[in-house]
Amino acid sequence: MIYLNLFWTFFKIGLFTFGGGQAMIPMIMREVTARGWISETDLIDFIAISESTPGTFAVNISTYTGVQTAGVLGALCSTIGVVLPSIIIITLIALLFASLMKKQAVGEVFGYIRSSVTGLLTAVLISLFMLVLFGISSVYDTSKASADYIGLGLFAILFGLSFIKIKGRKISPIILILISAVLGLLCYGFIPV
């Protein structure tokens, strides 16, 4: 039964999320933590890992959740569940693409979807920022707030570095990821949990 639950949960996530893997984060957080498959802390850690590893975010997070919950077969079920809606939708769109894209209503719908995705990504950014750097999981529960000054300092430095141009070129995102990994390991990797 867990295999069917994994498949169906990730099928719904894949079906009802537009805008790529990052737009899935709110739904994944709600569905996966509500069922107790992964803790919120572990999920946030894996979000960071799956963003910097090869492959699509949705496949990485669904596979990880499946493995953690029900082993290799669970990973297979959740991964198939998250990609199957895209395969079905892309196949249908490919069959109807030429006639659909000429319609004004289709263009307007995609315009509204882009706006919604922007809002979702902003909400994810704010909630992850609050949780990781201040320990606040909800704007309504600030009683447990405690600032992570090291994390805030690293965030400010890396955020600033992302805008710096050296010899007319911005720093490569790969270099920023490597710097982040090294600084994170130096600052947090040796602290016992």
Side-chain angles (χ1 to χ4, degrees), residues 110-193:
F110 279 109
Y112 293 129
I113 288 173
R114 277 192 295 274
S115 301
S116 299
V117 169
T118 301
L120 282 172
L121 291 176
T122 303
V124 167
L125 174 70
I126 292 169
S127 64
L128 287 176
F129 183 82
M130 289 173 33
L131 184 63
V132 171
L133 296 178
F134 296 104
I136 302 171
S137 60
S138 169
V139 293
Y140 303 110
D141 181 24
T142 58
S143 62
K144 299 176 187 171
S146 63
D148 178 2
Y149 296 110
I150 295 172
L152 283 169
L154 291 175
F155 173 78
I157 290 168
L158 292 168
F159 187 75
L161 279 176
S162 68
F163 291 103
I164 291 177
K165 289 185 177 184
I166 299 173
K167 294 184 181 179
R169 297 179 62 200
K170 285 192 173 190
I171 297 175
S172 165
I174 295 170
I175 300 297
L176 286 174
I177 290 170
L178 292 174
I179 292 170
S180 299
V182 169
L183 289 175
L185 184 63
L186 290 174
C187 293
Y188 297 104
F190 304 109
I191 301 173
V193 179

Side-chain angles (χ1 to χ4, degrees), residues 14-94:
L15 184 63
F16 295 114
T17 307
F18 292 93
Q22 289 76 14
M24 292 180 170
I25 293 174
M27 189 179 269
I28 290 171
M29 288 182 85
R30 184 178 63 243
E31 295 289 330
V32 169
T33 57
R35 287 176 171 73
W37 290 340
I38 297 178
S39 71
E40 193 173 78
T41 305
D42 288 343
L43 185 60
I44 288 172
D45 290 343
F46 195 73
I47 287 171
I49 292 168
S50 64
E51 285 292 338
S52 58
T53 54
T56 63
F57 173 80
V59 170
N60 288 348
I61 199 84
S62 64
T63 304
Y64 175 75
T65 303
V67 165
Q68 289 294 103
T69 305
V72 174
L73 189 55
L76 186 65
C77 291
S78 59
T79 303
I80 290 171
V82 82
V83 298
L84 190 58
S86 298
I87 292 170
I88 293 169
I89 291 169
I90 293 296
T91 303
L92 291 174
I93 288 175

